[in-house]
Amino acid sequence: MKSIATILNQQSFEKKDILALLNANEEESKLLFAKSLEVKINNVGNSVHLRGLIEYSNICEKNCLYCGLRVKNENKSLYTLDDEQIDNCINEAIRLRYGSVALQCGERTDKDFTQKITQIIKRIKQLSDNKIGITLSCGEQNADVYKEWFEAGAHRYLLRIETSNEELYYKIHPNDAKHSFKKRIACIDDLSSIGYQVGTGIMVGLPFQTIEDIAGDILFFKEKDVAMVGLGPFIPHEDTPLWKYKDEIPNDKERMLLTLKTLAVTRLVMPKINMVAATANQTIDKMGREKAVMVGANVIMPNLTPTLNRKDYSIYPNKACVQDTPDECANCLDIRMKTINHTILYDEWGDSPAFLEKQRL
Ligand code: 5AD
Ligand code: SF4
Ligand code: FES
């Protein structure tokens, strides 16, 4: 069997190499992380891009078995930001010099909703003089809706596949028309053909998930040639069906390490993509986001949602920054990144170099 050091010197990686890297022990992981940081610095530098996160509404029609926003969870109070609150978020993004925002919400497909998103996209462009970039994360939609949003000014879209193993997909989602693995893949393909910079990703440490599954996920990112990856640890939520497996999954420390390895290997396999240091990392490790940046992530999503509503966007419990204001997050992140020798780039869209190169071809 090849040593980890030998694999790390390769330019391309087969599934068995990816598996060996994901299985690295503590000592070997240090080599992996040193290499993935080096590859990141050489390809995308030591800068960090920001996406100011606007959690527009926690209303969701779906029933994912892991998520606190699922429609069958009755222990949540519903909210949707009104126009004034949305304007405030946009103005905060401008004031804090965030070059991009990410508009995120539960999934709805009714026309009232899809048209409202179009209107918000136009409002962001209008208030910022066309300066602020827009990432959407509003779930599965028909290609016409994706087109309408693209034409209104959104240019990136995040839709995590959650797992690329169809069998596992149906262990963490109900098996019905509203939760179709094939439809999710078709959405990712639609988004790419429309011209979005597409991001996908997974949760790490799900019940029933194997290392082999995660290796398959990394190859899926590569096969789809995505511009961005957002992945983070699974965090059991008390009001969801997967809560009952909380003692059967790897513990916080193990899930954190596996998340870091997944990020590191993804960076080796796709050196020029944008990769998010997910906030979920910070829920299971106080230094989780810094650690993610140190193994290959280069994007952070500081929260712009009004502090009063943050607690209700409870995808998973104990989310970081729930009590904080946008100003506090902005200062906190600036200091945190300086501490690890990284520089936040303000007033920039921060597009993925992988995407820009592909466009040039
Ligand atoms: N733990 C971690 N991440 C979660 N997500 C949903 N529920 C959880 C959870 N319990 C992630 C999913 C989804 C994104 C909006 O949040 O990956 O795509
Ligand atoms: Fe809704 Fe997304 Fe949560 Fe699924 S993961 S329940 S689609 S918000
Ligand atoms: Fe929100 Fe640190 S990033 S308080």
Side-chain angles (χ1 to χ4, degrees), residues 225-289:
D225 199 15
V226 291
M228 320 178 284
V229 165
L231 60 88
F234 163 64
I235 300 171
H237 190 305
E238 197 171 359
D239 301 319
T240 66
L242 290 193
W243 174 252
K244 62 175 172 287
Y245 300 107
K246 66 179 189 319
D247 298 322
E248 290 167 39
I249 59 171
N251 66 30
D252 283 3
K253 199 166 166 241
E254 291 162 341
R255 292 207 311 293
M256 186 69 216
L257 182 62
L258 190 52
T259 301
L260 293 175
K261 287 195 218 174
T262 309
L263 286 168
V265 180
T266 303
R267 175 57 73 197
L268 296 184
V269 172
M270 305 181 78
K272 289 192 191 296
I273 58 166
N274 274 347
M275 203 157 61
V276 187
T279 310
N281 288 308
Q282 204 175 320
T283 296
I284 59 170
D285 183 327
K286 280 199 181 72
M287 299 290 282
R289 281 186 297 184

Side-chain angles (χ1 to χ4, degrees), residues 65-274:
L65 302 181
Y66 43 83
C67 176
L69 304 193
R70 64 200 304 271
V71 65
K72 283 200 183 147
N73 175 15
E74 285 165 4
N75 286 336
K76 60 168 192 175
S77 46
L78 300 178
Y79 79 86
T80 299
L81 300 184
D82 63 24
D83 289 349
E84 194 186 330
Q85 288 173 308
I86 292 164
D87 278 6
N88 282 342
C89 292
I90 304 168
N91 286 325
E92 285 293 78
I94 298 168
R95 185 177 64 82
L96 295 166
R97 300 177 48 215
Y98 294 170
S100 255
V101 294
L103 187 62
Q104 208 175 82
C105 50
E107 197 174 302
R108 277 172 59 187
T109 48
D110 55 287
K111 223 170 164 80
D112 281 350
F113 170 78
T114 60
Q115 287 179 341
K116 185 72 202 173
I117 297 294
T118 306
Q119 197 191 321
I120 299 174
I121 296 166
K122 291 187 175 157
R123 186 72 179 154
I124 296 169
K125 289 293 172 191
Q126 185 194 12
L127 282 183
S128 73
D129 229 354
N130 268 329
K131 289 213 177 72
I132 288 192
I134 304 175
T135 307
L136 294 180
S137 188
C138 305
E140 294 171 26
Q141 305 288 342
N142 291 332
D144 288 347
V145 172
Y146 285 150
K147 248 184 237 144
E148 179 178 319
W149 292 346
F150 188 73
E151 278 156 16
H155 60 117
R156 306 192 191 102
Y157 206 104
L158 279 177
L159 188 70
R160 288 185 176 180
I161 187 68
E162 315 297 358
T163 171
S164 62
N165 173 347
E166 184 163 0
E167 219 173 286
L168 177 57
Y169 192 89
Y170 288 116
K171 288 185 181 156
I172 62 168
H173 299 96
N175 193 345
D176 61 23
K178 257 196 175 342
H179 303 80
S180 153
F181 180 72
K182 291 206 165 53
K183 160 90 176 147
R184 204 159 181 87
I185 294 195
C187 282
I188 293 174
D189 293 338
D190 283 347
L191 288 162
S192 290
S193 357
I194 292 167
Y196 282 95
Q197 285 177 57
V198 179
T200 193
I202 56 158
M203 284 174 286
V204 175
L206 286 163
F208 318 112
Q209 186 185 47
T210 64
I211 299 289
E212 182 102 21
D213 289 330
I214 298 177
D217 295 332
I218 295 173
L219 290 170
F220 175 83
F221 306 157
K222 176 93 183 155
E223 178 202 314
K224 291 293 169 196
D225 199 15
V226 291
M228 320 178 284
V229 165
L231 60 88
F234 163 64
I235 300 171
H237 190 305
E238 197 171 359
D239 301 319
T240 66
L242 290 193
W243 174 252
K244 62 175 172 287
Y245 300 107
K246 66 179 189 319
D247 298 322
E248 290 167 39
I249 59 171
N251 66 30
D252 283 3
K253 199 166 166 241
E254 291 162 341
R255 292 207 311 293
M256 186 69 216
L257 182 62
L258 190 52
T259 301
L260 293 175
K261 287 195 218 174
T262 309
L263 286 168
V265 180
T266 303
R267 175 57 73 197
L268 296 184
V269 172
M270 305 181 78
K272 289 192 191 296
I273 58 166
N274 274 347

Side-chain angles (χ1 to χ4, degrees), residues 289 321 324 329 332-333 336:
R289 281 186 297 184
C321 311
D324 303 296
C329 289
C332 165
L333 282 178
R336 279 175 186 262

